[in-house]
C-alpha cells in the first residue's frame, strides 16, 4: 500500500516540478537550448515486475497530462510511450537480467551510480532527441538538435540526482 502512495506522490510531484518549476526557468537567450524534461523518471524508476500494460497506461496519462499543461499536442505522450516500450532494452543492454532485482525500484541507490547514469542517461537522451526531432520535424540543423538533447539530458540528470538525494532514503 505504501508503494501505491509513493507512486502517486512521484507522479504528481514530477508533473508539478516539470510544469511549475522547470518550464518557468528563464536563461535569457539560452532558454531555447534549455528545456529539460524529467517526467520520464517516473516510468524509468518503476520496478521490473511491473507489467508492460501498466507501464504503458502510466506513460499515456503522464504524457497526456504534461501535454495539456505544456501545449505540446501529444509529443510528450508519444515519446513517453516509445521510451516505456524500450525501457527493458536499455536496461538489459547495460546489465544482465540477474544483476537487478525484479521487486526493487530503479534509482541510483539500488542499481549503482554508473549503471544509473548509463541507463537513465541513454533513456533521457533518447527522450529528448525524439522529442526535439518531432518538434522540429526536420533533419536540418542535426548537430544543434544533438547539442540540445545532450544539454537537456545532463541538466535533467543533475536535477534527478538532486531529487533522489532529497526524497529517496538509502537502506
Amino acid at each position: 500500500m505504501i508503494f501505491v502512495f509513493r507512486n502517486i506522490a512521484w507522479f504528481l510531484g514530477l508533473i508539478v516540478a516539470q510544469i511549475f518549476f522547470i518550464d518557468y526557468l528563464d536563461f535569457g537567450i539560452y532558454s531555447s537550448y534549455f528545456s529539460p524534461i524529467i517526467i520520464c523518471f517516473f516510468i524509468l524508476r518503476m520496478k521490473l515486475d511491473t507489467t508492460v500494460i501498466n507501464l504503458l497506461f502510466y506513460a499515456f496519462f503522464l504524457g497526456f497530462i504534461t501535454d495539456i499543461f505544456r501545449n505540446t499536442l501529444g509529443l510528450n505522450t508519444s515519446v513517453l510511450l516509445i521510451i516505456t516500450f524500450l525501457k527493458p532494452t536499455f536496461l538489459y543492454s547495460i546489465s544482465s537480467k540477474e544483476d537487478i532485482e525484479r521487486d526493487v525500484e530503479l534509482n541510483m541507490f539500488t542499481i549503482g551510480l554508473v549503471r544509473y547514469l548509463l541507463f537513465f542517461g541513454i533513456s533521457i537522451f533518447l527522450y529528448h532527441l525524439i522529442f526535439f526531432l518531432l518538434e522540429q520535424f526536420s533533419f536540418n540543423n542535426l548537430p544543434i538538435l544533438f547539442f540540445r538533447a545532450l544539454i537537456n539530458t545532463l541538466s535533467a540528470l543533475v536535477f534527478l540526482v538532486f531529487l533522489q538525494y532529497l526524497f529517496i532514503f538509502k537502506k
Side-chain angles (χ1 to χ4, degrees), residues 19 21 27 34 46 68 79 86 90 102 104 116 132 140 142-143 150 155 164:
I19 293 168
F21 178 69
F27 292 99
F34 184 78
M46 296 296 281
I68 288 172
V79 176
L86 295 175
F90 296 145
R102 296 192 63 77
V104 174
Y116 167 80
F132 293 139
N140 292 340
L142 203 56
L150 182 65
S155 58
Q164 289 180 63

Side-chain angles (χ1 to χ4, degrees), residues 19 23 63-76 131 135:
I19 293 168
D23 288 349
F64 184 72
I65 291 169
T66 307
D67 282 331
I68 288 172
F69 283 104
R70 294 185 83 203
N71 197 20
T72 51
L73 298 173
L75 281 176
N76 286 300
F131 182 85
E135 183 181 49

Side-chain angles (χ1 to χ4, degrees), residues 1-93:
M1 193 66 157
I2 291 175
F3 182 69
V4 172
F5 290 123
R6 190 178 311 145
N7 279 342
I8 292 171
W10 273 107
F11 187 90
L12 295 176
L14 286 173
I15 289 174
V16 167
Q18 179 70 51
I19 293 168
F20 297 113
F21 178 69
I22 293 177
D23 288 349
Y24 281 106
L25 291 176
D26 186 22
F27 292 99
I29 61 172
Y30 302 110
S31 291
S32 64
Y33 291 103
F34 184 78
S35 59
I37 301 169
I38 62 165
I39 58 167
C40 59
F41 179 71
F42 179 77
I43 298 299
L44 296 174
R45 67 173 275 283
M46 296 296 281
K47 295 179 181 182
L48 291 178
D49 59 0
T50 307
T51 64
V52 176
I53 300 298
N54 285 344
L55 282 176
L56 290 172
F57 181 75
Y58 298 148
F60 177 78
F61 280 109
L62 183 64
F64 184 72
I65 291 169
T66 307
D67 282 331
I68 288 172
F69 283 104
R70 294 185 83 203
N71 197 20
T72 51
L73 298 173
L75 281 176
N76 286 300
T77 304
S78 59
V79 176
L80 199 54
L81 287 171
I82 292 169
I83 294 300
T84 302
F85 187 71
L86 295 175
K87 175 187 171 183
T89 306
F90 296 145
L91 187 61
Y92 296 138
S93 68

